[in-house]
Amino acid sequence: MRIGVAGVGRIGTMHATNLAALDRVDEVLLFDPVPGRAAQASAELSGTKAVDDLDTLLGNVDGVLLATPTNTHPEMLRAAIAKGVPTLCEKPIASDVAEMAALIEDVEKSGVEVLVGFQRRFDPAIYELNRRIRAGEVGDVYLVRAVGNDANPPDFSYLPASGGIFRDLLIHDLDCVPWLVGEPVVEVYASGSVLVHQAFADADDVDNAVVMLKFAGGAHATLAGGRHDPVGYDHRIEVLGSKDSLVAGVDPKTPLNSLEPGGHVAGPDAYPGFPERFHRAYVNEMNLFTQVIKGEVANPSPARESLISLRLAEACEQSRRTGAPVKIEEPRRSSGHPLSPNSAEPNSVRASRPDDRLEGGSSATPEAAQFNTEGN
């Protein structure tokens, strides 16, 4: 199998490295719009080869990963599906809801598999959390709490083009938490502050934010995100239900210090950033992408579901600016299906069905996906 990677910045290079390490991948072809960049990356990565243009890349691969800037995604994705090449595109696949909706229609008409790179869905513990909710082991979900803090702020030059904290940082949990709960969000409230650096205010953004989501069945979720954690990179998701309370993201490297005797204390090897925290997720993502290409498993992160998180991010921004909650009315597709990650049935009803899928359009199982559950 030959896989293409378009864009060899930090994320693209990481993906290319992980792809080249897979036994079933024979070669990774690299392309970057910046002249000479792909050749330089290829010289440093074994199992890779540089090509000069996107057409050459798409004409010689079984699948392609897009890790170029967001504003290039629609054109590149349309080029890939026009050639029938299965694609994994980094989030977001487009910059705004209208553009994304139109692009998704093109994707679905093409029949080509397109995965969106929300790596939380591929994290072993979060994946297991989803499985247990779907299996009814958690019971009715009462509350979800998600925390996501960068260890250090991003480069300030990135902020004007980042899309803001809800589109950039919290977008992952705006995808993951509804995926876990399995119900449409009906109301959003968000608030934010500038506490880390004036550069965020200058970019019309905030560096600390909280979000409350209310779901159709009555459950709530709280999401908190920040741009600086002096102890390390932190991401955790807790789910409290009628049968169990579970957490993903607490391990010896979690940057959290307990004041209780014998409680958790962060070690010197606390996670420095998201690549380290989600290393297994990124490896699993590439592995599962190759399985989707081969038709071995269903798409676990379809393009249409990425529209949910973007709409929620826009609602968060609206709520932050107005100080008021925002009601979410789920739009209907032309086929009549609601835009939601699962049916709006209560968890106890939905989980009782043995053929219930992990999320909209996906029936992948941990066994089929061959998730790596070993340590970093």
Side-chain angles (χ1 to χ4, degrees):
M1 179 183 293
R2 303 175 86 189
I3 305 295
V5 174
V8 289
R10 180 172 67 156
I11 295 297
T13 299
M14 177 188 70
H15 288 318
T17 301
N18 291 336
L19 282 166
L22 296 178
D23 290 339
R24 74 190 314 170
V25 174
D26 301 306
E27 188 176 42
V28 178
L29 301 187
L30 307 180
F31 162 71
D32 195 284
V34 178
R37 196 178 189 187
Q40 181 179 352
S42 179
E44 299 172 359
L45 297 176
S46 61
T48 68
K49 176 184 177 181
V51 297
D52 294 331
D53 56 73
L54 184 63
D55 284 344
T56 302
L57 184 77
L58 295 176
N60 291 277
V61 294
D62 301 292
V64 65
L65 187 147
L66 303 182
T68 51
T70 298
N71 62 357
T72 69
H73 289 174
E75 180 181 0
M76 286 191 168
L77 184 51
R78 284 189 170 97
I81 63 175
K83 289 184 177 291
V85 179
T87 304
L88 194 161
C89 185
E90 278 297 334
K91 64 85 186 171
I93 63 172
S95 300
D96 61 66
V97 167
E99 184 180 33
M100 183 181 289
L103 180 58
I104 289 169
E105 291 295 331
D106 290 344
V107 167
E108 293 178 343
K109 288 176 183 177
S110 75
V112 177
E113 292 288 2
V114 173
L115 292 73
V116 182
F118 283 114
Q119 88 277 16
R120 307 273 199 274
R121 295 186 180 218
F122 303 90
D123 180 79
I126 296 175
Y127 193 95
E128 174 65 10
L129 185 56
N130 184 296
R131 187 199 66 77
R132 294 194 186 192
I133 293 171
R134 299 283 81 77
E137 296 177 26
V138 175
D140 293 326
V141 174
Y142 295 152
L143 177 68
V144 180
R145 291 193 292 248
V147 174
N149 293 321
D150 288 331
N152 295 296
D155 190 303
F156 295 148
S157 65
Y158 165 72
L159 298 181
S162 71
I165 196 169
F166 301 113
R167 288 169 175 259
D168 180 55
L169 180 67
L170 284 165
I171 192 77
H172 288 281
D173 287 325
L174 291 171
D175 171 75
C176 185
V177 172
W179 173 67
L180 288 171
V181 176
E183 296 177 356
V185 175
V186 297
E187 186 175 278
V188 171
Y189 174 76
S191 180
S193 299
V194 175
L195 302 173
V196 176
H197 199 280
Q198 177 63 29
F200 291 92
D202 294 341
D204 195 24
D205 194 9
V206 295
D207 51 43
N208 278 268
V210 293
V211 174
M212 187 183 76
L213 305 177
K214 183 177 181 180
F215 291 89
H220 288 80
T222 60
L223 284 56
R227 294 298 198 175
H228 178 230
D229 186 326
V231 185
Y233 179 87
D234 188 9
H235 182 265
R236 292 167 276 132
I237 296 182
E238 303 171 15
V239 176
L240 287 71
S242 60
K243 294 182 179 179
D244 204 353
S245 295
L246 300 171
V247 61
V250 175
D251 63 26
K253 295 184 178 182
T254 300
L256 196 66
N257 292 314
S258 172
L259 299 180
E260 300 294 341
H264 181 86
V265 176
D269 60 344
Y271 292 112
F274 69 87
E276 293 81 13
R277 164 63 179 87
F278 288 106
H279 172 71
R280 291 180 298 162
Y282 286 120
V283 172
N284 291 333
E285 183 181 25
M286 295 305 102
N287 184 37
L288 201 141
F289 179 38
T290 66
Q291 294 178 54
V292 171
I293 292 171
K294 289 289 189 181
E296 297 169 351
V297 298
N299 187 341
S301 189
R304 181 161 293 278
E305 291 189 15
S306 70
L307 190 56
I308 298 171
S309 55
L310 184 58
R311 292 184 66 244
L312 292 178
E314 291 194 352
C316 288
E317 188 62 32
Q318 179 183 343
S319 178
R320 177 182 78 84
R321 292 180 183 278
T322 63
V326 175
K327 299 288 186 181
I328 305 294
E329 295 183 3
E330 292 294 331
R332 297 273 169 171
R333 296 179 56 185
S334 58
S335 62
H337 297 298
L339 176 65
S340 58
N342 280 295
S343 71
E345 299 169 332
N347 291 301
S348 57
V349 175
R350 186 178 61 254
S352 68
R353 298 181 177 179
D355 61 344
D356 187 42
R357 295 182 172 192
L358 290 178
E359 69 282 328
S362 174
S363 58
T365 64
E367 292 78 17
Q370 298 179 9
F371 269 25
N372 169 25
T373 58
E374 298 177 358
N376 289 339

